[in-house]
Amino acid sequence: MADSRRETLVPVHFDDEALRHDIGHLPQTAGLALRALRRDIGKAGGLPLSHLKGCQAEGRDGTNLAGCVKTYAPWPDGRYGLVLIPVEHTTRPWALRAIAFGVRHQPRDSNAPTVYRIAHGRLHDRPDSDTR
């Protein structure tokens, strides 16, 4: 994680129920990666802005994640991704809420959803996008 003394940090709130569901469908390495990411965010007091990337408004896979951001676990190019949405914060202009965690890119022949499809389903009330 970046040196938090020099970088702007964004508070992150985690949707524990959704993330628990996501981890339940992934290998143990995914749970370890998410716990490490959460630990780093907690220690730093937020997620460094440099660790955020914009999601595609319209993905090639039919997802619509306009306004969302993502980070990778582990940073900078880990296999797993965390999709976040901006939310109001009590003491800062804004914060982020983590809504989905999972594999960033599945093999071409796989029917397993990516983290982006899971996030799309949660944002657009399409629970079928979340099935495995």
Side-chain angles (χ1 to χ4, degrees), residues 111-122:
N111 288 327
T114 64
V115 66
Y116 311 115
R117 283 196 145 311
I118 295 166
H120 174 90
R122 289 184 180 146

Side-chain angles (χ1 to χ4, degrees), residues 10-64:
V10 180
V12 176
H13 305 283
F14 291 88
D15 184 334
D16 290 324
E17 183 178 334
L19 297 178
R20 208 172 7 263
H21 179 268
D22 296 347
I23 291 297
H25 297 284
L26 295 169
Q28 184 177 1
T29 56
L32 296 173
L34 180 59
R35 280 193 294 282
L37 176 61
R38 289 184 77 155
R39 183 180 58 246
D40 289 346
I41 290 170
K43 277 185 185 177
L47 187 61
L49 277 178
S50 66
H51 288 212
L52 294 172
K53 297 179 176 220
C55 291
Q56 290 183 336
E58 295 183 24
R60 291 179 298 220
D61 58 356
T63 56
N64 181 336

Side-chain angles (χ1 to χ4, degrees), residues 36-97:
L37 176 61
R38 289 184 77 155
R39 183 180 58 246
D40 289 346
I41 290 170
K43 277 185 185 177
L47 187 61
L49 277 178
S50 66
H51 288 212
L52 294 172
K53 297 179 176 220
C55 291
Q56 290 183 336
E58 295 183 24
R60 291 179 298 220
D61 58 356
T63 56
N64 181 336
L65 297 176
C68 294
V69 293
K70 61 186 174 182
T71 193
Y72 302 146
W75 183 261
D77 57 2
R79 177 174 187 223
Y80 303 103
L82 183 69
V83 175
L84 309 104
I85 58 172
V87 294
E88 292 182 13
H89 190 270
T90 55
T91 62
R92 297 189 183 188
W94 58 284
L96 295 170
R97 183 166 54 97

